[in-house]
Amino acid sequence: MEHKPNPTDAPRHAGRHLAPECTLFDALSCLLTRGLSAIPVGEAGNGQKILSAAALVKAWQAGLPGETPLSALDLETADTALPEAPGAETLINGLPLLLWMKDRQGRFLLVNQSFAESCGHSAPQSVLGKTDLDLWPREQAELYRAQDADVMDSGRPRTMIEEIIDKGIPAWFETYKAPVRSADGRILGTLGFACNISERMRQEASARHDKTPLAYVLATIGEGVWDRDLLSDQVSHNPRWCEMLGLDERYLAHPATTSLTLVHPDDRARLSRIIDTCLCGGGAFCCEYRIRHADGHYLWVRDRGDVVELDEHGQPLRMVGSIADITLARETAAALQESQNRYQQVFDNVREVIFQTDTLGHWELLNPAWTEISGFSVEESLGRSFGDFLHPDDRPHKYRAFKPIIARTLPHCSATLRLRCHDGSYRWMDIFIRAQLNEAGEVIGTSGTLNDVTARVAAEDYLRLTASVFRHAHEGIIITDPHSRILEVNDSFCVLTGYAREDVIGQNTRILRSGVHEPAFYEQMWTELRSTGTWQGETWNRKKSGELYAQLGNISAVRNEAGQTTHYVGLFTDITDLKESQRHLEHLAYHDVLTQLPNRSLLADRMQMALAQAERNNTLAAVAYLDLDGFKPVNDRLGHDVGDLLLVEIARRLQASTRAGDTVARLGGDEFALIYNGLEHSDECEQVFARLLASIAEPVVIDSLELRVTASVGVTLCPLDGSDPDTLLSHADRAMYLAKQAGRNCFHLFNPERDRALRAHRDAQTRVESALYGGELELHYQPKLDTRSNHLTGVEALIRWKHPQLGLRMPGEFLPMVSESRFEIELGNWVLATAVAQLDSWCQAGFATPMSVNISARHLAHPGFVPHLKAVLDAHPQVDAGLLQLEVLETTTLGDLQRIAAIMAECNRLGVSFAIDDFGIGFGAVNSLRSLPVRSIKIDRSFIHNMLDDDDDLATVQGVISLAAAFHREVIAEGVETPRHCQALLKLGCHQVQGHGIARPMPAAHMQVWMQEHARRH
């Protein structure tokens, strides 16, 4: 709802008194803007009244509406009025209003305490200088800004009824906005008041409902008003509601569901939730949504409403509200925001610096390009002038350049000056500056741009330098148009080619061509020039005399701003002598001096080519390593001169035995390498190398001496070998040594599969070594029991590998990798030392249990075994050597029994006993028991596993037990899995058992816990 001022609104208080028909709003505006404490009301005379600030405050406090005329007040006459009435301070903070004043830019200049609290601030000072955009949501703020603009544009006050969030609570307010004028009548801003009329609105609505037919009331209100009877669920509207939506009078009253069908489908659920919240006691609501016009398009509306009537139980009976068309406001706000965004994007993203200064030249505005170019932040630069950042030598030039603006002889000017950057460097800047004038034509500041032209200045300097270089350069320089017509040459060009300047100007560069290069060479050169703008390379050209010369050239395209080529510039150096020297040096670098064969360096390139050719043509290439047999005696007996001549002849024969495309290279001494390309099958090697060996074996006559040598040749085939050139040559070298071992004067073909298997085995062995050094190997322990008493009779130490990726690995997975290697001895020593150290630890803890340790055949037979065993026992003097038993495989004892028996006897003298492990799988069991000083035998787990189901295995077990009894040896069954195995073995006379049926191997700490618990149970 809005007050529309009539033509007489402005003059009613334009003089020094107010007319009686002026409203309370008019009076408040007049007192505040003029700074008065009181003002006459009516024409001068006996009947003139006085309106004081105190009287105005009382009227507001009495709840009178802002539209109440002054004639309705009981005012004092001029004679009876108090001489000292409260002034503006009383009006600002004493009235029950929200009060504010803004300048033309919308900044708050004055607010009272009520206004500050309504927008969430504790004091008015915290609001000053802010705008509506800082206090309210953008859409609401843009509406307020549009209302202010309307008041300032029309120069007339405006009154409206609207909903405002007061201290976080929605409420209905009667708002008055008026222009603020200066003494000369100019509009300086706006003054506004807002009075909370929520209670009055509810009372008026109730009164209208009780006393006046709704149709007459709704017809007088400017916004679309609705009244919903919750009992009948019927909604009534004023005519404005129908006009807003283009509906006829049939829609003045209808069911509530009809209104909801007009709402945009995407907004219905949200609107329904908001209305339900209001009905449930949530208070007044304000909602913006889209509603369909009769012609089908949608309007944006702001809907405000509340429950205005309850029954005796507090249940809502009636709701009243209004909708306002805010489509234009939303579109205007969106357009303003889009315009602002576009301007801000341009301002933020242009590469040129945009600035504004005050009259003293101090910067008031800078865009981000300033920071990108100078390194100084915008914040630290505002308030300073361009002169503060200039090179000291350029400051006088700046004053001369800007003088026309200061003198007002020119509206703008420009200059190129050096700017000091944050890092201390300087950049050249083009500055354009224009004076900013006010309405009176006075300079109020400047605006302009700064453009970084450092590159341009450098280019200009470069061009000046280039001109000097062109005249004095030792290189020949030629400039052509895009069609290769010569436009300019320098003196060095004339000296190089023999042509005078006038001979070539206007000629095509083709006059220099030698005919050495194919047309494709020039096509490729021009293709690269057109695509990249540059070309660099070597060419052979022809002088005026017809003589050929080599030149190193660099051609560059010169392009205009549109990217079109305007010229070509070429620089050329005569490298004829250099090419000849280079050719000679390359030959020396890639060929053997004695035989003129390719050397190792050239051989590597040829091998790469051979590999590529073999893969491309799906053929084989043979790489051969050849070493002469019997050359050294010839060289030692007849001297190096004869030896050199022999090598030259052998080189000739090798070349004669190869085809075009094959390679013969000398590696050094009497060693050669050969590459045979295009082989279809490996069988061809037999014929090729048989001919080669026969050719070498033929006599060589030097100085009437007949000399004979042969050759050993190693051969590998690629890509079957699948290795790089260095590895291929290494493989051929290995095969050559096998040929020598085979009797010489033959060739041997390398076997990649066998070599790969050997390498894999070596890698695996190395990994086990690193596992030991890295602490990944450890010993686990498995207990042995006497099934008669269930007492612990000992433990066996078993090696395990805690692999970081594969987890716990068993001995059979890695011990074969180190078998028969030097590391096997080192690993066995570690196992023995670790086991005895653990036995010592357990003895000190009160668990002196016998321990058996597995020893390999090589370890036992090693000369250092017994000394190492003694050193280990000496390192642990508290350990009874009788607790240590060494287990050896039965197959280990099948070798030199006498030597093995002697070693065992030495160990027995130290107190250490032996057991034969896996007894029964060998063929010398009786002989071993008769000859070797062993205490125990262990029946192999394979027999124990099947003895309950396999009669043969049962008979074997029974035989071993009987054999042990005959030779007075202890017998232990390993691999016992179940109680049935224990019972069967006990019946057969074997009471010592070991296996998963007793306990699995476990780490030392777990083993000690197991021993403690077993002792406690038994």
Side-chain angles (χ1 to χ4, degrees):
M1 293 177 286
E2 184 171 343
H3 165 70
K4 301 292 184 179
N6 58 55
T8 63
D9 283 345
R12 286 186 299 175
H13 52 82
R16 298 186 177 277
H17 66 278
L18 294 175
E21 61 269 23
C22 289
T23 66
L24 295 180
F25 278 135
D26 295 330
L28 180 57
S29 174
C30 181
L31 290 177
L32 285 175
T33 57
R34 297 186 183 183
L36 303 175
S37 61
I39 191 170
V41 178
E43 297 294 333
N46 294 332
Q48 190 177 52
K49 302 294 183 68
I50 296 296
L51 174 65
S52 66
L56 187 59
V57 170
K58 289 179 180 179
W60 284 107
Q61 292 175 341
L64 294 180
E67 292 291 332
T68 303
L70 299 181
S71 59
L73 303 180
D74 184 15
L75 302 176
E76 296 178 336
T77 63
D79 298 331
T80 60
L82 295 175
E84 294 183 4
E89 181 64 24
T90 300
L91 296 177
I92 292 173
N93 290 312
L95 294 175
L97 307 173
L98 307 183
L99 182 148
W100 67 90
M101 183 183 295
K102 307 177 189 175
D103 62 12
R104 290 190 69 89
Q105 286 73 40
R107 292 188 290 259
F108 286 95
L109 304 177
L110 173 71
V111 300
N112 65 356
Q113 183 68 28
S114 298
F115 181 91
E117 293 175 355
S118 73
C119 55
H121 290 265
S122 59
Q125 289 77 7
S126 62
V127 181
L128 301 185
K130 298 183 181 297
T131 68
D132 289 313
L133 290 171
D134 300 320
L135 303 179
W136 316 110
R138 173 170 289 279
E139 189 171 305
Q140 185 177 355
E142 293 294 350
L143 178 63
Y144 292 161
R145 289 162 68 91
Q147 293 172 354
D148 293 344
D150 180 60
V151 169
M152 290 188 287
D153 291 342
S154 67
R156 296 178 181 277
R158 178 178 179 178
T159 305
M160 64 211 77
I161 294 177
E162 60 184 357
E163 188 176 50
I164 296 177
I165 304 300
D166 182 22
K167 301 176 184 177
I169 302 172
W172 288 95
F173 279 77
E174 185 176 32
T175 304
Y176 174 89
K177 293 186 177 181
V180 177
R181 300 177 185 271
S182 64
D184 57 2
R186 288 186 297 111
I187 295 178
L188 303 178
T190 59
L191 177 69
F193 325 101
C195 178
N196 192 326
I197 60 168
S198 298
E199 183 60 27
R200 193 182 85 198
M201 288 286 288
R202 283 193 288 271
Q203 292 174 357
E204 289 178 358
S206 177
R208 285 195 300 271
H209 179 71
D210 294 337
K211 300 179 181 180
T212 308
L214 179 62
Y216 296 112
V217 176
L218 298 181
T220 64
I221 298 179
E223 295 184 354
V225 178
W226 52 266
D227 187 334
R228 179 178 175 183
D229 187 329
L230 297 174
L231 293 178
S232 63
D233 208 24
Q234 291 288 315
V235 181
S236 301
H237 300 282
N238 65 345
R240 175 60 185 144
W241 189 89
C242 294
E243 293 172 10
M244 187 184 304
L245 300 180
L247 302 173
D248 56 34
E249 294 183 355
R250 289 176 299 169
Y251 285 88
L252 287 173
H254 56 75
T257 55
T258 301
S259 296
L260 194 60
T261 59
L262 298 176
V263 176
H264 193 285
D266 295 344
D267 299 339
R268 289 174 189 166
R270 178 168 55 88
L271 178 60
S272 297
R273 288 196 302 271
I274 292 173
I275 293 176
D276 290 344
T277 301
C278 178
L279 291 173
C280 293
F285 71 86
C286 178
C287 178
E288 294 181 1
Y289 56 87
R290 290 161 290 180
I291 191 167
R292 189 174 70 249
H293 192 272
D295 62 9
H297 77 278
Y298 281 90
L299 304 174
W300 274 99
V301 297
R302 181 182 291 113
D303 192 347
R304 297 183 177 92
D306 199 358
V307 175
V308 297
E309 185 177 350
L310 304 173
D311 62 13
E312 64 273 14
H313 303 294
Q315 296 300 312
L317 296 176
R318 184 174 170 218
M319 294 182 74
V320 173
S322 66
I323 65 170
D325 184 354
I326 61 170
T327 305
L328 180 59
R330 288 181 67 97
E331 292 175 350
T332 301
L336 287 173
Q337 184 61 47
E338 183 180 358
S339 175
Q340 174 66 21
N341 290 342
R342 284 198 300 268
Y343 167 76
Q344 194 66 42
Q345 287 176 355
V346 172
F347 184 78
D348 290 341
N349 294 297
V350 293
R351 298 176 63 183
E352 292 79 13
V353 178
I354 301 173
F355 67 85
Q356 285 184 346
T357 74
D358 59 16
T359 54
L360 298 178
H362 297 147
W363 276 325
E364 296 181 326
L365 176 71
L366 284 168
N367 67 335
W370 166 254
T371 301
E372 295 177 11
I373 292 175
S374 70
F376 292 100
S377 68
V378 171
E379 290 75 13
E380 67 179 308
S381 303
L382 292 178
R384 302 176 66 182
S385 69
F386 184 56
D388 296 339
F389 300 93
L390 278 182
H391 192 289
D393 296 344
D394 290 351
R395 288 170 186 165
H397 179 56
K398 173 227 175 187
Y399 298 127
R400 290 193 301 271
F402 297 167
K403 187 174 181 181
I405 286 186
I406 300 172
R408 301 291 303 279
T409 57
L410 289 174
H412 58 79
C413 62
S414 61
T416 302
L417 305 169
R418 283 169 291 182
L419 170 75
R420 178 176 56 82
C421 298
H422 190 272
D423 61 5
S425 63
Y426 286 91
R427 303 194 69 80
W428 285 97
M429 308 295 293
D430 268 355
I431 178 170
F432 175 84
I433 187 168
R434 181 185 294 274
Q436 298 293 309
L437 308 178
N438 61 15
E439 296 176 355
E442 299 170 334
V443 176
I444 59 174
T446 65
S447 63
T449 60
L450 296 172
N451 190 16
D452 187 352
V453 294
T454 306
R456 189 195 73 194
V457 172
E460 292 170 351
D461 292 341
Y462 176 76
L463 288 176
R464 286 191 290 271
L465 178 62
T466 301
S468 176
V469 170
F470 183 81
R471 291 191 299 271
H472 302 101
H474 293 290
E475 294 83 2
I477 301 177
I478 181 173
I479 301 175
T480 75
D481 65 9
H483 306 291
S484 295
R485 284 190 295 269
I486 300 173
L487 303 178
E488 188 60 85
V489 296
N490 68 345
D491 294 340
S492 296
F493 172 88
C494 297
V495 173
L496 173 62
T497 63
Y499 286 100
R501 179 178 179 277
E502 54 271 17
D503 293 336
V504 295
I505 298 299
Q507 297 290 333
N508 193 285
T509 55
R510 284 192 296 270
I511 66 170
L512 301 173
R513 290 187 181 181
S514 63
V516 173
H517 303 290
E518 297 291 333
F521 172 82
Y522 295 103
E523 290 175 5
Q524 187 275 335
M525 180 184 75
W526 281 105
T527 299
E528 185 174 341
L529 253 179
R530 293 187 183 103
S531 62
T532 66
T534 61
W535 178 86
Q536 186 175 25
E538 298 176 359
T539 55
W540 285 92
N541 280 357
R542 193 177 301 276
K543 297 183 180 182
K544 184 177 181 181
S545 63
E547 179 187 354
L548 292 177
Y549 68 95
Q551 65 179 19
L552 177 63
N554 189 313
I555 305 175
S556 299
V558 180
R559 294 186 172 128
N560 58 19
E561 294 180 354
Q564 299 168 330
T565 300
T566 60
H567 299 85
Y568 290 106
V569 178
L571 281 76
F572 302 97
T573 303
D574 186 356
I575 58 170
T576 306
D577 294 338
L578 180 63
K579 292 292 289 183
E580 180 60 29
S581 299
Q582 180 181 346
R583 188 197 64 79
H584 180 66
L585 290 173
E586 284 181 353
H587 185 82
L588 293 177
Y590 292 106
H591 290 79
D592 176 55
V593 176
L594 176 64
T595 63
Q596 299 303 306
L597 293 176
N599 60 11
R600 280 184 179 269
S601 298
L602 185 54
L603 176 66
D605 291 338
R606 297 283 178 87
M607 290 180 70
Q608 290 283 12
M609 295 170 59
L611 284 170
Q613 180 180 339
E615 291 184 1
R616 184 172 60 251
N617 299 334
N618 197 26
T619 58
L620 299 176
V623 178
Y625 198 108
L626 183 149
D627 184 86
L628 295 178
D629 305 323
F631 173 77
K632 188 175 184 303
V634 172
N635 201 44
D636 293 343
R637 179 166 52 88
L638 301 177
H640 292 294
D641 292 340
V642 174
D644 289 347
L645 292 174
L646 176 59
L647 290 175
V648 170
E649 174 58 22
I650 295 298
R652 187 194 64 76
R653 294 183 184 183
L654 292 176
Q655 286 182 301
S657 70
T658 58
R659 304 159 299 175
D662 295 339
T663 298
V664 179
R666 185 185 178 207
L667 302 178
D670 59 349
E671 295 178 338
F672 297 85
L674 300 94
I675 303 174
Y676 290 92
N677 293 308
L679 300 181
E680 297 294 336
H681 196 274
S682 60
D683 294 343
E684 295 181 48
C685 292
E686 183 76 34
Q687 185 178 7
V688 169
F689 290 104
R691 285 199 308 267
L692 178 67
L693 292 172
S695 173
I696 295 173
E698 291 180 1
V700 179
V701 178
I702 299 175
D703 294 338
S704 302
L705 295 173
E706 184 178 287
L707 306 176
R708 292 180 180 273
V709 292
T710 59
S712 298
V713 183
V715 183
T716 187
L717 297 175
C718 61
L720 297 181
D721 195 333
S723 301
D724 58 88
D726 290 340
T727 307
L728 287 172
L729 201 59
S730 174
H731 290 173
D733 185 22
R734 279 185 246 167
M736 182 271 292
Y737 278 104
L738 292 176
K740 281 192 177 294
Q741 292 173 5
R744 307 191 176 194
N745 194 26
C746 64
F747 79 93
H748 185 85
L749 189 62
F750 177 76
N751 187 332
E753 291 298 329
R754 181 174 180 276
D755 189 69
R756 276 195 287 271
L758 290 174
R759 282 203 309 271
H761 184 79
R762 284 197 300 271
D763 293 343
Q765 180 177 311
T766 302
R767 180 64 185 91
V768 177
E769 293 183 26
S770 66
L772 175 62
Y773 305 142
E776 298 174 14
L777 300 183
E778 62 182 26
L779 294 183
H780 285 200
Y781 302 89
Q782 188 175 37
K784 306 174 189 177
L785 289 185
D786 187 331
T787 55
R788 296 172 303 181
S789 61
N790 226 9
H791 287 165
L792 179 68
T793 60
V795 297
E796 181 180 359
L798 301 166
I799 191 169
R800 296 291 186 266
W801 182 1
K802 292 185 68 175
H803 197 287
Q805 284 81 38
L806 304 178
L808 195 66
R809 303 186 66 186
M810 298 293 106
E813 298 179 69
F814 61 90
L815 288 184
M817 301 173 187
V818 299
S819 178
E820 302 300 321
S821 70
R822 58 158 186 81
F823 180 68
E824 182 180 17
I825 307 304
E826 182 180 352
L827 179 61
N829 288 338
W830 176 84
V831 170
L832 189 58
T834 304
V836 173
Q838 184 60 56
L839 181 59
D840 190 0
S841 175
W842 281 340
C843 288
Q844 294 183 36
F847 298 98
T849 183
M851 179 184 293
S852 60
V853 180
N854 291 281
I855 301 299
S856 71
R858 287 187 72 249
H859 192 193
L860 180 64
H862 191 269
F865 177 76
V866 176
H868 176 73
L869 175 62
K870 185 176 185 305
V872 169
L873 292 172
D874 290 344
H876 301 278
Q878 302 300 321
V879 174
D880 180 2
L883 295 175
L884 179 63
Q885 185 177 67
L886 302 179
E887 294 187 10
V888 294
L889 291 175
E890 180 190 352
T891 53
T892 302
T893 67
L894 298 180
D896 187 349
L897 283 178
Q898 186 176 356
R899 182 180 174 215
I900 293 173
I903 295 173
M904 288 184 173
E906 284 190 70
C907 296
N908 288 160
R909 285 192 288 274
L910 295 176
V912 177
S913 63
F914 281 87
I916 297 179
D917 198 8
D918 297 342
F919 191 84
I921 62 174
F923 300 100
V926 175
N927 196 31
S928 298
L929 289 178
R930 183 190 303 115
S931 306
L932 300 177
V934 298
R935 175 191 296 173
S936 308
I937 61 174
K938 299 184 73 173
I939 306 174
D940 184 65
R941 67 180 63 249
S942 62
F943 302 125
I944 301 299
H945 181 72
N946 296 319
M947 63 176 286
L948 299 178
D949 304 310
D950 190 304
D951 293 340
D952 291 339
D953 286 345
L954 178 61
T956 301
V957 170
Q958 189 171 8
V960 171
I961 294 173
S962 299
L963 191 63
F967 283 94
H968 306 289
R969 303 287 194 267
E970 292 180 348
V971 62
I972 304 170
E974 58 181 354
V976 175
E977 305 291 340
T978 66
R980 291 180 59 209
H981 285 93
C982 293
Q983 294 168 5
L985 289 166
L986 188 59
K987 289 179 180 179
L988 294 175
C990 176
H991 51 83
Q992 292 197 56
V993 297
Q994 172 186 353
H996 291 177
I998 308 302
R1000 291 179 177 271
M1002 63 193 80
H1006 295 175
M1007 186 69 238
Q1008 183 168 335
V1009 173
W1010 189 93
M1011 289 189 292
Q1012 291 172 336
E1013 293 178 352
H1014 183 79
R1016 188 165 52 250
R1017 291 195 304 269
H1018 303 285

